């Protein structure tokens, strides 16, 4: 058995991995162009890569160019003071825009891994002041995928030229990225890791800190990170006209290739450079390695890869197919760029939660296509090991790194809010320990020979089926820190699908949720978790996880899945593995707490009963939350979504429905009305009308055909079962659906309603 902290970390992360992979491992792949259609340098990488000293720049780089006038905004000793004034209603929408696991499930269900994940955030206009310099009509939006989301301290992007051409701060600064650091209590991981990447010769973002307030409310300290835009590319590569890509759950394999997002030259539908990498990796011969070296600068990749391992970037490319960018100048080769490094600097006793390796070695991560291909070739493995040792000598200077920790920690203590500063002070010791031990840990792991690493395996965590569970339990707060989860807590009774189960080999632990567990409850800061584990006779492990907002933990409390801030699911781990191979979320559930507290040793006791199984996209609380003020009453989710309405500008009023379920829906079992309260206005849908799964259906309203039914500029629309049960509704006011506009869900199907300028009846909504 794994230690509870490690188990919790792996479970939570694997739940996300399951959601990201489950529907995508057999997803569609783009045909792409032949690799021979792309022009690359004539020089091919040799089969054996010499452990050359890392350069400071990639091909064509110009790091010695004159100073960037934006440099001043990234000086470490300059803590930026940023004030944002934004309409209150816009801020409320912005901070609450959230990608839930249900949204991820829905997107994968519909598209597999054939395309990048949709952008869900909306730009809003605001007045922004940076160190006393004020600009109006600045674009502001939220950022983040799942784990870093927060409704109280959202990560933000600022774009000064979003609404005003060429508007920028003095020195030409027109974009800013502000990370909330909710997954890194120390607030030091990002800036310190980028410093190591740069010292190792990798093009890396610059980084410092900023205090941020919104409408006079102090949100605390943020990490300010340089973006990969034209100034960065021109500075490091001498050319900003090449192809830049971002990888988010992306890899150079047929399964994951479709999720790459092109960030430059988007209008050119040419993915031949990506396909050249995929094709080269598909060739297991040395000719495949030679072809790989023609499109990827493998010497520079060694430095990037070794630095990811050195700083423990398990959530980067080599460890998780995530948080990385790569760029090639026209006619050049790909160079990789680090990103999203807030999960770095954790020692091997708290390892990568996304792998399927029981005891991953600290000296290598090779879960993805390129590092795995190289590490499993003897010459390239030797080159990687040589490069890693070179990094330890040239870029890993403990005294300098520890001094940097103290310098940054002092800034955090001076400028963070009290609660942030206290958490940072406690967590900073982790970095000191990591820096002091890392070199010895890696060298010991490489001696007498480098560790083995398995060939790549893409496992698809399946759903754990559907059913019901009932459990009564008791434990104490803090048991997640104990090395033996089965020795903690007591399971008094356990029923699965109505039948009693043995409670032998069970345990329960509770405590603060690890950063990665936040993805089960996005938007809730510092959630807690209760986890039940059961050791089966064949050596497998099954269990149940609940993640809960800490403010709700109190004796005598009843919490309802779909109504309160509680989420979770059922999972299983096969014998000999450390990561779940199946997971099904709770679609319904009630947790009754008879005792609860968050002081060390406080009793946690109660009972949970729930229904688990994959629910249709847009179902449950995720759908209810997206309705926001547009929802009227409590709707029964049957998968029927009002997705878009138009009251003006077209010859006929119309609305659009979407079937977010997995089965056809016959609409003659429903009725509709342009009034949410007057039962007498309800009329049935036309007989024989069926909407297929995942499709859109537009209804144009002819007042003669449907007497008494008409949509106006201040209107309501509801859909009910014939017995009067509400299943969907929307309420809009004058101006929300004007001439040549529509009132539509953004993001499509799952988002809140907002006014859009490009109506799309019968198709997916566009912002």
């Amino acid at each position: 058995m794994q230690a509870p902290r490690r188990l919790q970390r792996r479970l939570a992360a694997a739940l996300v991995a399951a959601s990201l992979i489950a529907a995508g491992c057999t997803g569609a792949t783009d045909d792409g162009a032949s690799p021979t259609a792309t022009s690359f340098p004539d020089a091919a990488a040799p089969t054996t890569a010499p452990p050359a000293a890392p350069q400071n720049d990639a091909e064509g780089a110009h790091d010695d160019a004159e100073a960037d006038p934006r440099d001043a905004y990234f000086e470490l000793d300059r803590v930026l003071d940023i004030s944002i004034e934004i309409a209150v209603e816009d801020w409320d929408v912005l901070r609450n825009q959230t990608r839930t696991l249900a949204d991820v499930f829905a997107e994968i269900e519909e598209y597999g891994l054939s395309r990048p994940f949709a952008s869900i955030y909306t730009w809003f206009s605001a007045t922004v002041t940076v160190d006393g310099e004020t600009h109006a009509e600045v674009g502001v939006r939220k950022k983040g995928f799942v784990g870093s989301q927060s409704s109280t301290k959202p990560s933000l992007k600022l774009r000064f030229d979003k609404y005003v051409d060429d508007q920028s701060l003095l020195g030409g600064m027109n974009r800013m990225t502000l990370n909330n650091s909710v997954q890194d209590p120390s607030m030091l991981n990002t800036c310190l890791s980028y410093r190591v990447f740069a010292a190792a010769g990798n093009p890396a973002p610059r980084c410092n800190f900023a205090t941020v307030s919104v409408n006079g409310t102090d949100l605390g300290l943020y990490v300010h990170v340089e973006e990969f835009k034209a100034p960065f590319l021109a500075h490091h590569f001498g050319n900003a006209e090449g192809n830049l890509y971002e990888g988010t759950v992306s890899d150079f394999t047929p399964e994951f290739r479709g999720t790459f997002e092109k960030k430059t030259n988007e209008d050119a539908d040419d993915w031949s450079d990506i396909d050249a990498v995929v094709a080269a990796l598909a060739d297991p011969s040395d000719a495949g390695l030679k072809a790989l070296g023609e499109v990827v600068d493998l010497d520079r990749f060694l430095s990037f890869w070794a630095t990811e391992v050195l700083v423990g970037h398990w959530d980067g490319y080599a460890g998780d197919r995530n948080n990385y960018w790569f760029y090639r100048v026209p006619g050049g080769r790909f160079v990789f760029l680090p990103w999203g490094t807030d999960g770095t600097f954790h020692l091997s006793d708290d390892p990568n939660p996304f792998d399927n390796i029981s005891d991953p070695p600290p000296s290598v991560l090779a879960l993805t296509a390129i590092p795995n291909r190289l590490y499993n070739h003897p010459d390239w493995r030797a080159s990687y090991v040589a490069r890693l040792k070179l990094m330890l000598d040239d870029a890993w200077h403990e005294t300098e790194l520890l001094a940097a920790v103290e310098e940054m920690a002092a800034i955090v203590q001076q400028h963070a809010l009290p609660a942030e500063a206290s958490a940072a002070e406690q967590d900073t010791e982790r970095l000191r320990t990591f820096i002091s031990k890392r070199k010895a840990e890696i060298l010991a792991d490489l001696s007498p020979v480098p560790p083995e690493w398995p060939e790549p395996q893409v496992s698809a965590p399946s759903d754990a089926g559907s059913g019901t569970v009932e459990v009564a339990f008791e434990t104490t707060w803090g048991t997640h820190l104990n090395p033996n989860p089965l020795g903690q807590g007591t399971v008094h009774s356990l029923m699965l699908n109505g039948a009693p189960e043995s409670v032998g080999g069970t345990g329960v632990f509770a405590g603060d949720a690890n950063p990665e567990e936040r993805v089960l409850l996005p938007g809730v800061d510092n959630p807690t978790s209760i986890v039940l584990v059961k050791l089966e006779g064949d050596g497998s492990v099954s269990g149940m996880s609940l993640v809960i907002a800490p403010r709700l933990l109190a004796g005598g409390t009843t919490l309802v899945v779909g109504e309160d801030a509680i989420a979770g699911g059922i999972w299983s781990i096969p014998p000999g593995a450390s990561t779940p191979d199946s997971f099904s979320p709770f679609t319904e559930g009630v947790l009754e707490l008879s005792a609860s507290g968050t002081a060390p040793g406080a009793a946690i006791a109660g009972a949970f009963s729930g229904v688990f199984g994959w629910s249709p996209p847009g179902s449950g609380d995720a759908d209810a939350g997206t309705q926001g003020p547009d929802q009227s009453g409590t709707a029964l989710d049957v998968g029927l979504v009002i997705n878009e309405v138009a009251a003006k500008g077209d010859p006929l009023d119309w609305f659009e429905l979407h079937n977010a379920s997995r089965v056809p829906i016959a609409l003659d079992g429903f009725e509709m009305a342009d009034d949410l309260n007057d039962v007498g206005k309800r009329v049935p849908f036309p007989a024989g009308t069926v909407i297929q799964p995942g499709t859109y259906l537009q209804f144009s309203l002819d007042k003669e055909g449907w007497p008494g039914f008409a949509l106006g500029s201040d209107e309501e629309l509801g859909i009910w079962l014939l017995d009067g049960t509400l299943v969907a509704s929307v309420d809009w006011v004058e101006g929300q659906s004007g001439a040549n506009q529509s009132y539509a869900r953004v993001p499509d199907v799952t988002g809140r309603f907002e006014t859009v300028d490009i109506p799309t009846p019968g198709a997916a909504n566009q912002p």
Side-chain angles (χ1 to χ4, degrees), residues 631-694:
Q631 188 179 18
S632 176
T634 302
L636 173 68
D637 181 19
V638 297
L640 194 62
V641 178
I642 300 174
N643 198 44
E644 186 176 11
V645 295
K648 290 183 178 180
D650 285 353
L652 296 176
D653 297 337
W654 58 267
F655 65 89
E656 173 194 271
L657 299 182
H658 177 75
N659 182 354
S661 76
R662 298 178 181 176
V663 297
I665 297 177
L667 293 179
D668 49 11
F670 300 84
E671 57 187 5
M672 57 186 166
D674 57 359
D675 190 304
L676 296 179
N677 299 307
D678 189 345
V679 177
K681 289 189 175 183
R682 297 178 189 175
V683 295
F685 281 88
T689 306
V690 176
I691 180 170
Q692 297 298 322

Side-chain angles (χ1 to χ4, degrees), residues 433-466:
T433 301
F434 183 98
I435 292 168
S436 300
K437 292 184 176 181
R438 188 58 166 171
K439 184 173 184 177
E441 178 186 55
I442 289 177
L443 291 176
D445 193 50
L446 295 174
S447 179
V449 295
E452 293 298 317
W453 192 276
E455 294 290 340
Q457 294 181 351
V458 179
S459 59
S462 59
D463 76 65
S466 59

Side-chain angles (χ1 to χ4, degrees), residues 41-252:
D42 293 333
T47 301
T48 302
Q55 307 166 21
N56 289 326
D57 305 294
E59 296 171 330
H62 288 275
D63 244 2
D64 296 329
E66 62 184 53
D68 185 340
R70 303 176 309 136
D71 289 349
Y73 290 99
F74 295 101
E75 292 174 353
L76 184 61
D77 58 359
R78 179 181 179 180
V79 178
L80 303 172
D81 180 15
I82 300 176
S83 173
I84 301 171
E85 296 295 328
I86 184 173
V88 173
E89 58 272 22
D90 288 347
W91 176 245
D92 285 340
V93 173
L94 181 154
R95 67 186 182 86
N96 286 303
Q97 287 184 325
T98 298
R99 176 188 278 109
T100 66
L101 282 179
D103 298 330
V104 176
F105 297 153
E107 193 164 351
I108 295 178
E109 181 78 16
E110 183 168 0
Y111 300 105
L113 293 174
S114 63
R115 68 172 201 175
F117 289 95
S119 175
I120 65 169
Y121 302 120
T122 307
W123 287 99
F124 296 91
S125 179
T127 297
V128 176
T129 301
V130 179
D131 287 352
E133 182 182 344
T134 300
H135 292 275
E137 296 186 76
V138 176
V140 182
R141 74 164 175 84
K142 193 175 182 179
K143 69 175 289 286
F145 188 63
V146 177
S148 62
Q149 294 181 110
S150 170
S151 60
T152 57
K153 186 186 178 183
S155 294
L156 299 169
K157 280 188 176 288
L158 308 181
R159 184 174 170 185
F160 290 84
D161 59 356
K162 174 67 176 176
Y163 303 111
V164 179
D165 290 344
D166 300 324
Q167 179 171 244
S168 67
L169 295 172
L170 294 176
M173 189 83 161
N174 58 15
R175 295 171 182 261
M176 305 184 83
T177 292
L178 302 168
N179 291 336
N180 57 18
S181 197
V182 295
Q183 294 183 287
D184 170 25
S186 77
M187 305 191 78
L188 307 184
N189 290 352
T190 299
C191 291
L192 189 65
S193 60
Y194 287 151
R195 179 175 294 199
V196 178
F197 272 100
N202 302 281
R206 292 173 293 181
C207 177
N208 64 347
F209 299 95
T211 58
V212 178
S213 66
V214 175
N215 295 336
T217 299
D218 189 355
L219 301 189
L221 193 64
Y222 280 70
V223 177
H224 173 223
V225 178
E226 183 178 17
E227 293 191 348
F228 295 135
K229 297 297 181 182
F232 177 94
L233 300 176
H235 178 68
H236 286 281
F237 297 91
N239 185 309
E241 304 301 319
N243 286 348
L244 176 68
Y245 298 90
E246 181 178 7
T248 303
V249 194
S250 309
D251 200 5
F252 301 92

Side-chain angles (χ1 to χ4, degrees), residues 363-727:
S363 65
V364 63
L365 279 174
L367 286 159
T368 45
I370 297 178
N372 199 287
R373 179 74 173 92
L374 298 182
Y375 198 78
N376 283 296
H377 187 285
D379 295 334
W380 279 101
R381 179 182 299 192
S383 296
Y384 164 77
V385 170
R387 183 60 51 85
L388 181 60
K389 290 180 177 179
L390 190 64
M391 297 293 100
L392 286 171
D393 290 336
D394 291 354
W396 192 260
H397 304 296
E398 286 91 345
T399 301
E400 295 177 8
L401 290 171
L402 290 171
V405 168
E406 301 311 315
E407 181 183 13
M408 295 180 190
I411 294 172
V412 173
Q413 292 302 308
Q414 180 180 353
H415 295 278
L417 295 176
E420 291 179 330
S422 176
E425 185 175 22
Q426 296 180 41
D427 193 45
T428 299
E429 187 59 32
R430 167 183 54 81
L431 281 87
R432 298 186 183 101
T433 301
F434 183 98
I435 292 168
S436 300
K437 292 184 176 181
R438 188 58 166 171
K439 184 173 184 177
E441 178 186 55
I442 289 177
L443 291 176
D445 193 50
L446 295 174
S447 179
V449 295
E452 293 298 317
W453 192 276
E455 294 290 340
Q457 294 181 351
V458 179
S459 59
S462 59
D463 76 65
S466 59
T468 62
V469 63
E470 299 176 48
V471 59
F473 63 89
E474 64 177 300
T475 186
T476 55
W477 184 265
T479 43
H480 65 305
L481 301 175
N482 190 284
N484 182 9
L486 295 181
Q488 300 302 309
T490 301
V491 177
H492 296 294
S493 63
L494 176 63
M495 297 187 71
L496 190 63
N497 298 322
E501 292 278 318
S502 169
V503 297
T506 59
V508 187
F509 49 92
D512 294 324
N514 287 299
E516 294 75 20
E517 289 181 293
R518 291 173 47 83
V519 298
L520 292 174
L521 207 59
V524 174
D525 294 327
N526 303 315
T528 59
S529 65
I530 300 173
V531 179
L532 178 149
V533 293
K534 187 176 192 302
L535 181 62
E536 306 290 354
D538 62 355
S540 64
V541 179
S542 59
M544 176 190 88
S545 297
L546 294 172
V547 182
I548 309 160
R551 59 182 172 79
L552 300 179
L553 286 180
T557 296
T558 298
L559 304 177
V560 180
V561 173
E563 296 180 11
D564 301 306
I566 176 174
I570 296 289
W571 45 264
S572 64
I573 301 176
S578 56
T579 302
D581 66 345
S582 67
F583 171 70
S584 290
F586 290 123
T587 56
E588 300 176 27
V590 176
L591 173 64
E592 297 178 334
L593 290 171
S594 57
S596 183
T598 56
I604 307 286
F608 177 80
S609 60
V611 178
F612 59 90
W614 298 100
S615 57
S619 65
D621 185 56
D623 183 63
T626 61
Q627 293 259 14
D630 302 318
Q631 188 179 18
S632 176
T634 302
L636 173 68
D637 181 19
V638 297
L640 194 62
V641 178
I642 300 174
N643 198 44
E644 186 176 11
V645 295
K648 290 183 178 180
D650 285 353
L652 296 176
D653 297 337
W654 58 267
F655 65 89
E656 173 194 271
L657 299 182
H658 177 75
N659 182 354
S661 76
R662 298 178 181 176
V663 297
I665 297 177
L667 293 179
D668 49 11
F670 300 84
E671 57 187 5
M672 57 186 166
D674 57 359
D675 190 304
L676 296 179
N677 299 307
D678 189 345
V679 177
K681 289 189 175 183
R682 297 178 189 175
V683 295
F685 281 88
T689 306
V690 176
I691 180 170
Q692 297 298 322
T695 64
Y696 305 84
L697 193 60
Q698 179 192 14
F699 289 87
S700 297
L701 307 179
D702 187 334
K703 297 177 181 61
E704 295 182 0
W706 291 354
F709 195 106
L711 297 179
S713 58
D714 183 358
E715 194 59 90
E716 301 170 348
L717 174 64
I719 299 176
W720 295 261
L721 294 174
L722 296 181
D723 65 3
T725 302
L726 180 71
V727 297

